[in-house]
Amino acid sequence: MNKQNIDWANLGFAYMPTGERFVANYKDGKWDDGVMTADANIVMNECAGVLQYAQTCFEGMKAYTTEDGRIVVFRPDLNVQRMEDSCKRLEMPVFPKDKFIDAICRVVKENEDFVPPYGTGATLYIRPYMFGSGPVIGVKPSDEYQFRIFTIPVGPYFKGGAKPITIKVSDFDRAAPHGTGNIKAGLNYAMSLHAIVTAHEEGFDENMYLDAATRTKVEETGGANFLFITKDNKVITPKSNSILPSITRRSLMYVAEHYLGLETEQREVYFDEVKDFAECGLCGTAAVIAPVVKINELGREICFPSGMDEMGPFTKMLYDTLTGIQMGRIEAPEGWIKEIK
């Protein structure tokens, strides 16, 4: 199949309609078989659960062209599990795992001409999502749902790619203790929109959210987990019940320990100790790792000695190793790579 005529090297992270998407509907207590469609539009009732009470969740993953020309998806089983957790928390029906994986493969295969070539730095972003489609006016779960998957070719999430970014400690809270911060609910991201717009207006790339209960511990940003490197080269990530369990973060921690031989630890990270770390990064599907050069708290700045102009050395090793696995340059752990055939 011939590739689309796209300037792959200069893609941003923005919506671009592709050829086909998958749609399945839940009605009368069961899912239908689902279909592929070229129609990117959705028609629903004015009283749909998603419109009235934000009953929706989503996932994000990527397809890559490997060095030897294969098209692969990275650890989709973990996305399926995380979406199952989201659905259960939001009282939505779980889409069966085997059908989920099959639908991902079908959508990527149908949009093979939109998968960026190897070496361009671009990827095919895959967005599975589900929403309450049935009418509901009382505060309760919808009786009907729609599950969809679409794809878009994307470049780096942050402009400038892996160049260091600056962030601020947000005045707002991202998620409440015992709330929905640990699932990929649409409402979590709606909560962060005002904060990110405010951060951008003030000249920052992102926010650092502290825990809502004490505002002393680091949690995450609006769309990525934190990863820190200590001065003695230990890799640390924050631990909290209101942090989304990033698949990229979990993969990086495995890479750090098993590929690079580094000591790793997931624990509560107090903001007061952030100034003592050597490197800081934001990790997630969209960005992989974005190095942080500076954190601003009420005008006071924390600067990281490593990576002022580019990725710090250990952040770069982690980035190069994980992207090497994703692109087929480095052998992957068993089960991490799903080839699209």
Side-chain angles (χ1 to χ4, degrees):
M1 184 177 292
N2 294 326
K3 293 294 182 185
Q4 293 284 323
N5 185 22
I6 294 172
D7 185 3
W8 305 106
N10 292 305
L11 277 173
F13 199 89
Y15 177 71
M16 176 189 297
T18 53
E20 296 283 329
R21 65 272 304 136
F22 178 82
V23 181
N25 290 286
Y26 181 90
K27 189 174 182 179
D28 298 327
K30 61 182 180 181
W31 288 102
D32 63 22
D33 292 334
V35 297
M36 299 296 295
T37 177
D39 189 356
N41 296 308
I42 298 171
V43 177
M44 69 178 78
N45 187 278
E46 62 185 349
C47 204
V50 64
L51 301 178
Q52 303 305 320
Y53 303 119
Q55 198 181 15
T56 181
C57 61
F58 68 97
E59 273 300 321
M61 63 190 84
K62 289 181 176 180
Y64 310 81
T65 301
T66 63
E67 190 172 29
D68 59 4
R70 295 175 297 135
I71 295 176
V72 303
V73 177
F74 183 69
R75 307 192 77 176
D77 57 312
L78 295 188
N79 292 97
V80 173
Q81 182 58 58
R82 192 168 63 181
M83 191 160 186
E84 179 177 327
D85 295 339
S86 297
C87 288
K88 289 179 177 178
R89 178 66 174 81
L90 296 174
E91 291 295 330
M92 302 170 74
V94 172
F95 195 73
K97 179 178 179 178
D98 56 340
K99 293 183 177 180
F100 196 135
I101 297 291
D102 180 66
I104 291 169
C105 294
R106 287 173 65 186
V107 173
V108 174
K109 184 67 177 177
E110 288 292 331
N111 294 288
E112 187 175 353
D113 55 333
F114 285 94
V115 180
Y118 174 79
T120 61
T123 54
L124 187 74
Y125 186 77
I126 306 165
R127 172 55 62 86
Y129 62 110
M130 188 189 300
F131 57 89
S133 56
V136 53
I137 196 63
V139 181
K140 61 181 181 179
S142 175
D143 292 326
E144 299 177 9
Y145 297 85
Q146 191 167 105
F147 172 75
R148 300 175 70 100
I149 305 175
F150 68 84
T151 59
I152 51 174
V154 297
Y157 184 73
F158 291 102
K159 293 179 180 179
K163 293 180 181 178
I165 63 174
T166 61
I167 64 177
K168 64 168 290 190
V169 176
S170 181
D171 299 326
F172 302 97
D173 294 326
R174 174 187 165 271
H178 315 296
T180 58
N182 63 333
I183 64 170
K184 212 163 174 65
L187 58 93
N188 293 345
Y189 296 81
M191 291 281 286
S192 73
L193 293 178
H194 178 65
I196 191 61
V197 169
T198 301
H200 289 167
E201 289 173 347
E202 296 174 356
F204 300 99
D205 296 292
E206 251 293 3
N207 288 290
M208 170 184 279
Y209 290 103
L210 304 179
D211 73 293
T214 70
R215 294 193 61 81
T216 61
K217 291 173 281 190
V218 176
E219 294 229 317
E220 62 170 285
T221 72
N225 282 190
F226 278 99
L227 182 147
F228 300 103
I229 310 294
T230 67
K231 292 176 181 176
D232 58 355
N233 307 329
K234 179 188 289 187
V235 184
I236 294 177
T237 59
K239 182 178 182 180
S240 166
N241 289 334
S242 53
I243 292 177
L244 184 74
S246 164
I247 293 164
T248 302
R249 184 257 297 162
R250 284 180 275 172
S251 301
L252 286 167
M253 295 295 274
Y254 183 94
V255 162
E257 181 177 356
H258 297 279
Y259 281 70
L260 302 178
L262 301 174
E263 187 177 353
T264 63
E265 185 178 11
Q266 185 183 15
R267 62 168 174 81
E268 292 184 336
V269 174
Y270 285 85
F271 181 72
D272 286 347
E273 63 181 305
V274 170
K275 65 183 185 302
D276 299 320
F277 293 131
E279 300 176 37
C280 172
L282 308 182
C283 52
T285 298
V288 184
I289 307 179
V292 175
V293 65
K294 191 180 297 182
I295 299 174
N296 183 290
E297 184 207 20
L298 300 175
R300 297 186 295 271
E301 292 185 342
I302 298 173
C303 299
F304 295 95
S306 295
M308 292 296 289
D309 299 313
E310 57 185 4
M311 275 193 177
F314 287 91
T315 303
K316 182 167 174 50
M317 282 194 294
L318 288 166
Y319 177 87
D320 288 345
T321 305
L322 185 60
T323 55
I325 290 170
Q326 291 169 336
M327 297 295 178
R329 297 188 297 269
I330 298 172
E331 185 175 355
E334 185 176 356
W336 277 29
I337 301 297
K338 174 69 174 179
E339 184 174 355
I340 306 299
K341 298 180 179 179

